[in-house]
Amino acid sequence: MEEQSAFEELEGYVESIIYRNSDNGYTVLNFISEEEEITCVGIFPVVNEGEILLLKGEYVEHPSYGTQFKMEQMEVKAPTDVVSMERYLASGAIKGIGVALAARIVKWFKEDTFRIIEEEPERLAEVKGISKRKAMEIADDMMEKKDLRDAMVFLTKYGISMNLAVKIYNTYGQQIYSVIRENPYKMAEDISGVGFKIADEIAKKVGIHSDSDFRIQSGVLYALNLAAMSGHTFYYRDELIKYTADILGVTENSVGTMIDNLTVEQKVVQKENKVYSKWYDYAEGVVAGLLCALNESYGESSDRVDQLIDRVQKAEGMELDEWQKEAVKQAATNGLMVITGGPGTGKTTTIKAIINYFELDGCDIFLAAPTGRAAKRMSEATGYEARTIHRMLEVNGAMAEENDGGKANQRGMFERNENNPLEADVIIIDEMSMVDINLMYALLKAIPPGTRLILVGDVNQLPSVGPGNVLKDIIASDCIPTVTLQKIFRQATTSDIVMNAHGINEGKHVAIDNKSKDFFYIKRYDADKTIGAVLSLVVDKLPGYVGSSSFDIQVLTPTRKGLLGVDNLNEKLQYYLNPADVSKKERRFGDKVFREGDKVMQIKNNYQLEWEIRSKYGIPIDKGLGVFNGDVGIITEINEFTNCVWVKYDEDKMVQYPYKNMDELELAYAVTIHKSQGSEYNAVVIPILPGPRMLMNRNLLYTGITRAKKCITIVGDENTFYNMIDNTVQQKRNSGLRERIEYISQL
């Protein structure tokens, strides 16, 4: 016996479209069925006023807009009577036909109107006011809409979302049928948003064999992309073969053959036993070459440099130590140099001294950092304007997606590049440990020869979230002037956060006896009790101690999953810090609930999201593009009519997220230590219990502790704490930048 559908059916025509989101097809429309006007909502593939539809769905009660029919399935019915035909043509759906012309066409051809347009379009010229050229244009437009609708139906059969289906159709047009049936993996290469997994699912439905050449080649590129997401710019050939074979369930020999084929097709590059995607091989080579080109000496008199340093110290009332003076000298006499050092070693003072030095020389100076928070801290600390690197390079929104093998960079995401370089004499970049190979490529392409570039960062922090090992590779090459600041200044020695961070970096078992005013340890050995202590600290104990709200106290954790992972901690913290309330709208996306007032983080770069800053009267006074991985904001509004969420970021930047973009946000009451790089918080709480050795290391602990400004509290097992100090094992990143710098420097 067939299962009976629970859906109700409505047949009628579209009278008017009230709202349509062109990105995802979400539509609100007035629908006439049996002479009754009904508000219908849902994802409509392609719909025009006047069209006859058969809708399946259910009636729902909206709290603000009353009874609506929520469409789940839709079928377009061809008009069969002259009234319906005229209504459709008069709706404006077909370019070049208005109300009067629609009436004349239907009056002339009657019930044969649609057949004539599709099969004998030249006969439209029989109607007064239609030339032969216009007749063909009308037929082409009607056929195009029919083709698009047919394509949408075809693609949605394979579980492809409306938004993605439109992208695919816009890329291939009528070729989509051959692409889907012969090689759906082509979409993973051509279309941002179609990854290997989506293409593989479609391939299974189409019936493509699991060992097809197309599948294995796409699988190799997918494995290289996963490697990039883990920080690597290449894979060793043997490892890539084994990894890809395991993912696909095919033989290693077949993978090796396809890697060689991809090399011949210039989609991957093999260098000895290393396999690169084409982009990362190119980007690494360009970065190495441009760094070496900037790395030139300037014939500055040492006496003059010393005199200017003395003038800077007197004018600013500062006293530089020997390493800081050396850093200023290297900046003055070299086109490229690196300053590194831990907390409290005077990196900011050194930057200020360098700025003042070059100001005496009449230079134009740009300051930048990878994130908004890091740029803001740089501005506050130096007293000079600092911007994000993205804003300095003038992001233009050319690409919305990342993790596309770097194609975004090749498509000109930034207005500033080799053809439109930055106009500055000196550029200083802070928090360099966060800069990956993609951003470094874009930055260097925009810096003309003769510009001084000064890179500042703590080499002992975690590497960038994105691929590459830029700062460490530059320093390790020994080819670029580098100054390591070593003295911990007196004011910093009063902070146990600073002193313990240095001790941990040196491998010392620092005291956790709670005799400190800013470094605390609460011993817990059970996950539930650890979570309880974390909640007590954030909600009750720490806000008054550091003079901040609970929202400003940041929980940092080593892991994403598990009881002490980001997902579980955020759910618990949300319950206490922003509980459900009738006055707050909320909405579930996947397994997460977001509500108004939630603290959230952007988890991927989106170069096309628009932001605006408004006056107190709500009028936009500044606009721009781009929200980036790690940016933190507050949900100010969930709008159920326009299906969007508004988030307020630093500097009062307001960003509108369509529901389809909500996978780019996650709750941020707790974040991973990796995601916290470049940020500083008044108070930090870090829960630690035993975990994977590769993750629970000194590097991670050091990075987490150095995020705290006034107070750090570690909760958990002291044995795990000391094991992390002893554990210097880190996941090795596959990066060839160091070797390339060394090679070019020897030429």
Side-chain angles (χ1 to χ4, degrees), residues 439-494:
L439 189 55
M440 195 65 181
Y441 169 87
L443 173 66
L444 292 173
K445 291 286 276 186
I447 298 177
T451 304
R452 283 180 169 86
L453 177 61
I454 298 158
L455 308 175
V456 185
D458 185 346
V459 75
N460 293 307
Q461 287 187 22
L462 290 167
S464 58
V465 175
N469 216 8
V470 175
L471 181 62
K472 285 186 179 177
D473 280 355
I474 290 172
I475 293 172
S477 74
D478 264 344
C479 299
I480 289 156
T482 300
V483 176
T484 302
L485 304 178
Q486 298 175 34
K487 179 182 176 182
I488 304 173
F489 282 83
R490 188 172 66 248
Q491 61 268 31
T493 61
T494 63

Side-chain angles (χ1 to χ4, degrees), residues 8 12-13 31 38 61 109 117 147 200 232 276 280 298 315 329 361 394 426 436 452 535 610 622 669 717 729 738:
E8 294 187 54
Y13 67 91
F31 193 71
I38 301 160
E61 198 67 29
F109 294 114
I117 294 174
D147 288 345
D200 204 33
H232 307 295
Y276 283 86
Y280 286 117
Y298 287 78
K329 287 178 183 177
D361 249 1
E394 297 175 23
V426 181
D436 65 16
R452 283 180 169 86
L535 291 170
E610 297 181 5
D622 193 10
Y669 302 103
D717 185 342
V729 176
R738 172 185 172 176

Side-chain angles (χ1 to χ4, degrees), residues 45-46 148-157 162 165-166 169:
V46 182
L148 176 59
R149 186 180 295 115
D150 291 346
M152 295 298 104
V153 172
F154 174 76
L155 291 170
T156 51
K157 264 196 324 189
M162 191 56 53
V166 171
Y169 183 79

Side-chain angles (χ1 to χ4, degrees), residues 61-128:
E61 198 67 29
H62 190 282
S64 303
Y65 306 111
T67 303
Q68 298 177 334
F69 187 82
K70 186 179 179 185
M71 184 277 292
E72 298 291 347
Q73 296 174 15
M74 159 190 138
E75 182 183 338
V76 179
K77 310 286 281 187
T80 54
D81 61 89
V82 291
V83 174
S84 300
M85 290 177 183
E86 184 176 336
R87 184 190 300 121
Y88 176 72
L89 293 175
S91 70
I94 304 301
K95 199 161 48 180
I97 300 181
V99 175
L101 188 54
R104 290 205 299 275
I105 292 170
V106 174
K107 184 178 181 181
W108 187 263
F109 294 114
K110 301 186 173 57
E111 286 86 354
D112 218 17
T113 296
F114 274 42
R115 188 195 66 76
I116 293 291
I117 294 174
E118 290 180 16
E119 297 176 14
E120 303 176 74
E122 66 280 357
R123 287 191 57 195
L124 285 171
E126 297 172 16
V127 178
K128 185 181 177 183

Side-chain angles (χ1 to χ4, degrees), residues 285-481:
V286 169
V287 167
L290 292 176
L291 283 169
C292 291
L294 290 173
N295 188 25
E296 57 179 325
S297 297
Y298 287 78
E300 295 285 336
S301 154
S302 58
D303 288 343
R304 182 174 183 273
V305 171
D306 288 338
Q307 287 170 10
L308 287 179
I309 291 174
D310 286 341
R311 282 178 60 185
V312 166
Q313 290 186 107
K314 286 174 185 173
E316 296 299 317
M318 61 173 65
E319 187 174 341
L320 304 176
D321 71 18
E322 58 182 298
W323 292 287
Q324 290 175 312
K325 285 180 183 176
E326 180 62 22
V328 180
K329 287 178 183 177
Q330 292 290 347
T333 56
N334 291 285
L336 174 67
M337 63 99 47
V338 177
I339 301 170
T340 187
T345 56
K347 290 194 295 295
T348 300
T349 301
T350 307
I351 292 172
K352 285 175 73 173
I354 290 171
I355 293 169
N356 290 323
Y357 179 96
F358 283 116
E359 279 193 324
L360 289 176
D361 249 1
C363 295
D364 289 326
I365 305 160
F366 285 177
L367 307 184
T371 66
R373 287 197 164 196
K376 186 178 179 183
R377 284 200 298 120
M378 195 180 187
S379 293
E380 291 169 350
T382 64
Y384 293 82
E385 182 197 4
R387 295 170 287 176
T388 63
I389 298 173
H390 291 89
R391 195 160 191 194
M392 181 176 72
L393 296 177
E394 297 175 23
V395 65
N396 63 18
M399 271 294 294
E401 304 288 343
E402 61 176 4
N403 295 330
D404 63 346
K407 287 177 280 190
N409 295 283
Q410 293 169 301
R411 298 178 192 174
M413 292 185 306
F414 301 105
E415 294 293 336
R416 295 291 181 173
N417 50 45
E418 64 271 37
N419 299 318
N420 181 28
L422 293 165
E423 297 171 9
D425 301 304
V426 181
I427 297 173
I428 304 174
I429 307 295
D430 198 9
E431 294 288 357
M432 264 301 300
S433 62
M434 299 178 67
V435 176
D436 65 16
I437 195 72
N438 290 323
L439 189 55
M440 195 65 181
Y441 169 87
L443 173 66
L444 292 173
K445 291 286 276 186
I447 298 177
T451 304
R452 283 180 169 86
L453 177 61
I454 298 158
L455 308 175
V456 185
D458 185 346
V459 75
N460 293 307
Q461 287 187 22
L462 290 167
S464 58
V465 175
N469 216 8
V470 175
L471 181 62
K472 285 186 179 177
D473 280 355
I474 290 172
I475 293 172
S477 74
D478 264 344
C479 299
I480 289 156

Side-chain angles (χ1 to χ4, degrees), residues 573-581 584 586 595-596:
L573 287 160
Q574 182 192 43
Y575 178 82
Y576 284 98
L577 298 179
N578 190 32
D581 190 284
K584 299 174 192 170
E586 64 177 53
R595 65 176 60 99
E596 291 172 342

Side-chain angles (χ1 to χ4, degrees), residues 215 239-252 255:
R215 181 170 188 261
E239 292 177 2
L240 177 60
I241 288 173
K242 186 176 186 315
Y243 185 47
T244 306
D246 287 345
I247 291 174
L248 302 181
V250 297
T251 67
E252 292 186 9
V255 175

